[in-house]
């Protein structure tokens, strides 16, 4: 998953892009970057780490001139932790700078990359995003936006894309509308972002979503929809509502807070915990769902876990060794609240089980009498090929173990998940408009063999 931001027609473009990245830090913490383009060419600053680290010297932001900028916060789904994979990527196509920021994941990347390599392409990164640039470079179309259309008609998967060229700012979204993508206005200037929380921060008004399958360009004549890719059934990522997006954002036309609260409400109906004294959340990601659960069940909500906000999202650290440590660094218990109580702990999801196992132990150490674990999404049994960094089935605890085995592993007294129907029915639009592949195994596009992150990485390392 990643966060993207684009600014067109504002003398403060790089500064606004920087703020937009800041608001979308939760979408990727491995790296960040900004590219601007002006009459003199392209200007880029990027690096590994948080936005505040990469741009710790604010002079760097000011040194990116021009009124057009795109930015990217990275969380790798394809392509490793390598610095060269941090976006926006910047290339030359027909002697023009072309910068690209991508949220999503292409699925036919292995075959396409091999075909391009056989054709003479020399890849600079191991990202799926670079494939789009090579396809653009091979197009015979004159305008960059038409080259983009050519390229996108050859790829499959999830993409919300911003492409900055001297001709203008191009935005495109895959026909299934997998990832959120919004257009806003700030005075006379245009703003694009993954989530509306970025627009709120810079005071921009939300205009509308980039439509699924829409390829548009902003230039000095304004906004024009240049092409509509062939329609496909909508498949918004339901996990954006479960975990990924910020509750203060509006995505796919609905408030994340409202939808996440509904997940908690449905969970309380499906999986009550009679006899419990209090509910607690796992801050911050399950706060909203836990409130829904508490309201519906009538169980008093308490703040039982305190999170150290200076430690990043544990799951986003890709190596297991680092993940274990960050869970410990991240949470502590409020003993006065927990001692001698029967507690419902609501979390949004369980991936490997690392976080919850550790938390159940912490709760016991704080004197909790009984721990009821309630999860506001169904068991994650299948990897995601469309932009979330879920591990292989073997590493996903629900991919290999039954709910009862997971309960034992967590050392919880009870464990219950939201059902898939409960999740779908909590949505304000028909449940079949969402991708639920990580829960159901029902992949809207069957991924090609070898597109798993590590396999792809190894094959790319061998191929280059
Ligand atoms: P785990 O410890 O591996 O079971 O991870 C579960 C925790 O990671 C939950 O508390 C979630 O809030 C969070 N989480 C779930 N999915 C993701 C994801 N795709 N990326 C980052 N964090 C996640």
């Amino acid at each position: 998953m990643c966060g993207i931001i684009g600014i067109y027609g504002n003398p403060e473009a790089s500064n606004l892009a920087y703020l937009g990245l800041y608001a979308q830090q939760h979408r990727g913490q491995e790296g960040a970057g900004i590219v601007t383009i002006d009459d003199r060419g392209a200007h880029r600053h990027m690096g590994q780490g948080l936005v505040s680290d990469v741009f710790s010297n604010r002079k760097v932001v000011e040194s990116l001139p021009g009124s057009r900028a795109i930015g990217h916060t990275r969380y790798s789904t394809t392509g490793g932790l390598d610095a060269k994979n941090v976006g926006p990527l910047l290339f030359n196509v027909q002697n023009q700078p072309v910068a690209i920021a991508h949220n999503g994941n292409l699925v036919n990347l292995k075959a396409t990359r091999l075909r391009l390599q056989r054709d003479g392409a020399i890849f600079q990164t191991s990202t799926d995003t670079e494939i789009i640039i090579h396809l653009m470079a091979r197009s015979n179309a004159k305008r960059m936006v038409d080259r983009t259309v050519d390229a996108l008609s050859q790829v499959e998967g999830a993409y919300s894309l911003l492409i900055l060229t001297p001709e203008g700012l191009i935005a495109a979204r895959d026909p299934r509308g997998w990832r959120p993508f919004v257009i806003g206005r700030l005075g006379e200037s245009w703003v694009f972002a993954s989530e509306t929380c970025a627009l709120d921060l810079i005071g921009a008004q939300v205009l509308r979503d980039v439509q699924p399958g829409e390829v548009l360009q902003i230039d000095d004549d304004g906004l024009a929809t240049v092409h509509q890719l062939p329609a496909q059934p909508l498949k918004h990522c339901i996990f954006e509502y479960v975990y990924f997006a910020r509750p203060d954002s509006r995505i796919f036309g609905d408030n994340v807070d409202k939808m996440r609260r509904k997940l908690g409400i449905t969970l309380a109906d499906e999986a009550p915990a009679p006899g419990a004294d209090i509910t607690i959340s796992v801050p911050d990601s399950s706060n909203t769902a836990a409130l829904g659960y508490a309201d519906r069940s009538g169980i008093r909500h308490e703040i039982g876990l305190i999170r150290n906000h200076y430690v990043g999202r544990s799951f986003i650290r890709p190596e297991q060794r680092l993940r274990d440590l960050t869970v410990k660094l991240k949470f502590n218990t409020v003993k006065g609240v927990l001692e001698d109580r029967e507690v419902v702990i609501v979390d949004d999801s369980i991936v490997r089980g690392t976080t919850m196992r550790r938390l159940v132990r912490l709760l016991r150490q704080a004197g909790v009498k009984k721990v009821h674990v309630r999860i506001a999404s169904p068991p994650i049994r299948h990897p995601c090929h469309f932009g979330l960094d879920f591990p292989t089935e073997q590493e996903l605890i629900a991919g290999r173990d039954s709910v009862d085995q997971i309960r034992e592993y967590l050392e919880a007294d009870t464990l219950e998940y939201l059902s898939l129907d409960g999740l779908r029915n909590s949505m304000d639009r028909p449940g079949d408009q969402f991708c639920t592949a990580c829960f159901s195994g029902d992949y809207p596009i069957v991924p090609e063999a070898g597109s798993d992150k590590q396999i792809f990485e190894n094959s790319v390392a061998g191929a280059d």
Side-chain angles (χ1 to χ4, degrees):
M1 187 58 58
C2 302
I4 58 175
I5 179 87
I7 310 287
Y8 190 94
N10 195 299
E12 290 284 301
S14 57
N15 224 344
L16 294 169
Y18 162 77
L19 292 171
L21 293 184
Y22 225 105
Q24 298 185 101
Q25 182 73 84
H26 62 290
R27 295 186 71 85
Q29 303 182 332
E30 289 171 20
I34 296 175
V35 173
T36 62
I37 290 183
D38 69 358
D39 296 344
R40 285 175 298 147
H43 313 268
R44 174 163 73 149
H45 183 77
M46 38 79 106
Q48 287 176 295
L50 300 177
V51 178
S52 55
D53 300 330
V54 175
F55 294 97
S56 58
N57 179 355
R58 287 297 308 278
K59 291 212 177 94
V60 168
V61 180
E62 276 137 37
S63 73
L64 297 169
S67 59
R68 310 156 178 194
I70 61 171
H72 188 239
T73 55
R74 174 166 168 80
Y75 152 63
S76 63
T77 45
T78 302
L81 279 176
D82 209 315
K84 67 184 184 325
N85 288 338
V86 174
L89 302 183
L90 178 60
F91 292 89
N92 262 303
V93 176
Q94 300 285 313
N95 289 326
Q96 286 193 49
V98 175
I100 181 166
H102 172 201
N103 173 206
N105 210 40
L106 304 181
V107 288
N108 60 337
L109 68 169
K110 207 176 155 206
T112 313
R113 188 173 163 120
L114 280 175
R115 175 167 65 79
L116 287 165
Q117 273 171 328
R118 271 191 220 114
D119 223 31
I122 298 170
F123 277 82
Q124 311 287 320
T125 73
S126 55
T127 63
D128 52 343
T129 314
E130 191 183 342
I131 288 172
I132 296 171
I133 294 284
H134 287 275
L135 292 172
M136 285 174 71
R138 277 163 171 71
S139 163
N140 291 321
K142 235 174 128 227
R143 295 189 307 166
M144 284 298 169
V145 68
D146 299 321
R147 286 173 179 264
T148 306
V149 172
D150 275 357
L152 295 181
S153 45
Q154 297 172 65
V155 300
E156 282 260 46
Y159 52 84
S160 290
L161 279 181
L162 282 169
I163 301 177
L164 186 59
T165 81
E167 294 169 13
L169 176 58
I170 301 162
R173 189 168 176 215
D174 68 79
R176 293 171 181 82
W178 240 298
R179 299 286 151 211
F181 202 10
V182 70
I183 312 176
R185 294 223 74 173
L186 178 64
E188 292 301 299
S189 37
W190 298 90
V191 183
F192 292 82
S194 300
E195 288 187 36
T196 55
C197 63
L199 271 58
D200 293 344
L201 177 65
I202 61 177
Q205 302 298 317
V206 177
L207 201 62
R208 64 171 174 92
D209 278 3
V210 177
Q211 294 307 317
E214 183 178 8
V215 182
L216 64 84
Q217 173 156 273
I218 308 264
D219 54 27
D220 292 344
D221 295 331
L223 182 153
T225 298
V226 175
H227 188 78
Q228 191 66 43
L229 294 161
Q232 297 285 349
L234 288 180
K235 291 292 167 197
H236 302 310
C237 169
I238 209 161
F239 206 75
E240 292 273 354
Y241 284 131
V242 169
Y243 167 81
F244 224 90
R246 257 172 55 164
D248 52 336
S249 285
R250 210 177 146 77
I251 59 166
F252 312 137
D254 287 305
N255 293 325
V256 177
D257 173 88
K258 180 178 151 204
M259 304 312 292
R260 206 166 279 170
R261 226 171 255 253
K262 280 174 102 180
L263 301 185
I265 293 171
T266 314
L267 180 64
D269 288 340
E270 288 188 347
D277 301 304
I278 57 168
T279 66
I280 61 169
S281 70
V282 182
D284 296 322
S285 59
S286 79
N287 287 349
T288 316
L291 277 180
Y293 188 99
D295 272 358
R296 182 62 147 214
S297 61
I299 303 172
R300 188 156 52 91
H301 190 63
E302 287 280 3
I303 311 284
L305 288 170
I306 299 300
R307 173 173 168 189
N308 182 335
H309 280 96
Y310 304 96
V311 186
R313 281 186 163 191
S314 60
F315 187 92
I316 291 185
R317 301 294 162 99
E319 292 156 40
Q320 185 66 37
R321 190 177 51 83
L322 291 176
R323 252 193 308 268
D324 284 344
L325 185 67
T326 44
V327 173
K328 279 191 218 159
L329 272 172
K330 212 160 105 175
F331 299 107
N332 199 11
T333 48
V334 184
K335 296 190 185 54
V337 165
L338 298 167
E339 208 163 17
D340 291 328
R341 295 248 157 78
E342 194 169 322
V343 174
V344 182
I345 177 166
V346 180
D347 203 358
D348 53 272
S349 56
I350 294 180
V351 182
R352 297 173 178 80
T354 319
T355 310
M356 191 47 82
R357 182 177 154 90
R358 172 79 200 149
L359 289 177
V360 171
R361 285 203 176 158
L362 282 179
L363 295 182
R364 301 249 188 244
Q365 285 159 14
V368 166
K369 279 197 305 197
K370 265 191 175 179
V371 183
H372 304 286
V373 178
R374 295 291 179 272
I375 304 298
S377 63
I380 301 172
R381 297 205 163 96
H382 309 276
C384 174
H385 296 280
F386 312 109
L388 295 177
D389 184 22
F390 285 151
T392 59
E393 246 144 78
Q394 264 319 298
E395 289 165 282
L396 285 167
I397 191 164
R400 27 168 234 271
D401 293 346
S402 68
V403 172
D404 203 49
Q405 286 168 323
I406 301 172
R407 185 198 58 73
E408 256 176 54
Y409 173 76
L410 300 179
E411 297 171 3
D413 293 285
T414 68
L415 164 67
E416 290 193 60
Y417 287 86
L418 183 66
S419 70
L420 187 54
D421 279 347
L423 174 64
R424 287 204 187 105
N425 296 338
S426 303
M427 299 291 116
D428 273 357
R429 58 174 76 211
D432 63 359
Q433 293 189 2
F434 292 92
C435 175
T436 57
C438 53
F439 305 120
S440 60
D442 186 6
Y443 289 101
I445 306 174
V446 180
E448 67 183 347
S451 61
D452 162 73
K453 176 177 167 179
Q454 200 53 50
I455 300 174
F456 179 71
E457 194 64 17
N458 295 344
S459 72
V460 163
D464 272 350

